[in-house]
Amino acid sequence: MTKIFQESIESGEVPQLWKSSFVTAIHKKGSKSCPSNCRPKSLTCILSKILEDIIQTRMLEHLTENEIICNEEYGFIPKRSTSLQLLNVMEEWAKILDSGGNINVIYCDIMKAFDQVPKKRLLHKINACGIQGNLLKWIDSFLSDRKFKVVVNSKQSIEGTVTSGVPQ
């Protein structure tokens, strides 16, 4: 596996099989017969998932070591849950209110945010964070030419092309 991973990163190319997924419905709540009570789940190649995790870990180390991620960032950071973020912000608000200050807050929950990410802008931001060369080329390849099939009751659709967004 190490040799396959090294070759993929050094070439900046992700095998097409790793960019293909099977999309199936996962029941959330309520009646199982109602499609709106399900969410799509993309199943991808396990080798791709392993290498994604390795790259994500190293990128996070780079961003942390170079102080590119601020202490107020909680999304997708290990040991920084939304609960911890809420506790920290409540502590700050309590200090402000105790000293007679005011607080104005706006919280936004962007539904399906990953479906809206423009790939070129994301790659530009990644480059600006110092992630360049073969790894940036690999990420570009990873985000490009993605394919999927929908699976329902063991039946597969014809293959489609992902036309927007990025994998989570």
Side-chain angles (χ1 to χ4, degrees):
M1 279 184 1
T2 301
K3 192 167 180 85
I4 292 169
F5 291 168
Q6 285 176 331
E7 188 174 315
S8 178
I9 293 170
E10 287 173 5
S11 69
E13 294 294 325
V14 176
Q16 186 59 50
L17 180 63
W18 292 8
K19 299 189 283 184
S20 297
S21 64
F22 293 99
V23 180
T24 189
I26 303 294
H27 180 254
K28 292 189 302 187
K29 61 181 178 183
S31 171
K32 289 186 177 185
S33 63
C34 181
S36 64
N37 290 335
C38 296
R39 67 175 179 85
K41 176 73 175 174
S42 292
L43 306 173
T44 57
C45 174
I46 191 69
L47 286 177
S48 177
K49 299 296 270 179
I50 292 169
L51 185 53
E52 287 172 50
D53 188 58
I54 292 167
I55 288 173
Q56 187 244 350
T57 300
R58 287 294 300 130
M59 286 176 62
L60 189 55
E61 287 172 5
H62 167 79
L63 297 171
T64 304
E65 289 168 5
N66 291 286
E67 298 179 353
I68 296 169
I69 294 180
C70 67
N71 289 332
E72 289 78 19
E73 177 64 51
Y74 284 82
F76 305 100
I77 309 294
K79 300 179 185 169
R80 290 195 195 176
S81 67
T82 54
S83 299
L84 181 59
Q85 185 273 339
L86 184 58
L87 287 171
N88 286 340
V89 79
M90 292 294 287
E91 182 179 341
E92 284 297 314
W93 290 349
K95 289 178 190 174
I96 293 167
L97 293 173
D98 288 346
S99 66
N102 295 312
I103 301 169
N104 296 311
V105 178
I106 298 174
Y107 268 92
C108 297
D109 183 9
I110 303 171
M111 289 180 46
K112 302 184 181 190
F114 288 98
D115 295 345
Q116 307 299 320
V117 175
K119 186 183 85 161
K120 285 185 180 183
R121 188 175 301 160
L122 175 61
L123 291 169
H124 178 73
K125 295 244 182 216
I126 292 170
N127 184 45
C129 290
I131 297 166
Q132 301 164 345
N134 288 341
L135 183 54
L136 183 63
K137 187 177 171 188
W138 186 93
I139 294 168
D140 185 14
S141 176
F142 176 80
L143 297 173
S144 301
D145 303 319
R146 299 194 68 85
K147 307 285 185 192
F148 71 98
K149 289 183 181 180
V150 176
V151 179
V152 177
N153 297 328
S154 302
K155 304 280 189 219
Q156 293 182 18
S157 71
I158 60 169
E159 188 172 68
T161 301
V162 177
T163 57
S164 67
V166 296
Q168 292 184 26

